[in-house]
Amino acid sequence: MGDISRSWWLLLIRGLAAIVFGILALGWPGLTLLVLVVFFGVYAIVSGASELFAGFRHGARSRAWLIISGILGILAGIVAFVWPGLTAVALLYIIAFWAIFSGIAEIVAGVQLRKVIDNEWMFIVGGVLSVIFGVLLLIWPGAGLLGLAWLIGVFAILYGIAMIALSLRVKNFTSRAGIP
């Protein structure tokens, strides 16, 4: 438990990054595709890097899933920067598959975390939200850039809230357990 409890702040950073990204997406729904690609790319790299960093700090149970999810996030961000002229549909599919795969990884890691912290469910909620978000993007790819911006914004804010709640729960558990 010591490894995850000392990295509660990584979950907090992920949550804050997601909320900032979501507010930007909602505040400027008329963004050009290039700006949306940059916002997504930065968020995916920050999120992926924090997952990768956490993966190297955790025990063997959740390490592989966090590392895989982190690498996928970083790769999704790099693809967004390397090919900024992608069409909205291509970006939509990149985001959809990234959300589904990282969501599955978070659900698995959350189930494993439940073995360490009683009744912990926020990581699982974040993973479920990611999977639902990815599936919705696959079902309605023609929703358009405005719809995509709003959908991404709402998802990012909800996901960020879930990650912040998880970080505070882990931090509070650390304080109660007397873990340095």
Side-chain angles (χ1 to χ4, degrees), residues 12-163:
L12 180 64
I13 289 172
R14 284 178 62 194
L16 292 172
I19 290 174
V20 168
F21 173 69
I23 290 170
L24 289 172
L26 289 175
W28 297 325
L31 293 173
T32 65
L33 180 57
L34 180 59
V35 173
L36 186 56
V37 167
V38 169
F39 283 164
F40 168 73
V42 169
Y43 168 71
I45 289 172
V46 168
S47 179
S50 68
E51 283 182 293
L52 193 59
F53 185 73
F56 286 112
R57 292 183 56 124
H58 290 301
R61 281 194 172 139
S62 61
R63 174 176 284 171
W65 287 105
L66 287 170
I67 290 171
I68 290 168
S69 181
I71 290 170
L72 288 173
I74 291 169
L75 289 175
I78 290 170
V79 166
F81 286 120
V82 171
W83 292 297
L86 288 174
T87 64
V89 174
L91 176 61
L92 180 133
Y93 285 121
I94 290 169
I95 294 170
F97 286 113
W98 169 71
I100 291 168
F101 289 124
S102 67
I104 291 168
E106 290 170 358
I107 292 168
V108 170
V111 168
Q112 292 173 351
L113 181 61
R114 290 182 66 114
K115 297 174 186 172
V116 178
I117 299 175
D118 291 334
N119 300 318
E120 185 47 56
W121 51 275
M122 283 299 184
F123 208 41
I124 296 169
V125 168
V128 168
L129 287 172
S130 286
V131 171
I132 291 170
F133 173 69
V135 169
L136 288 175
L137 287 178
L138 291 176
I139 291 172
W140 293 300
L145 187 55
L146 181 61
L148 177 62
W150 279 90
L151 186 59
I152 288 171
V154 169
F155 159 76
I157 291 169
L158 291 174
Y159 181 83
I161 291 169
M163 288 300 101

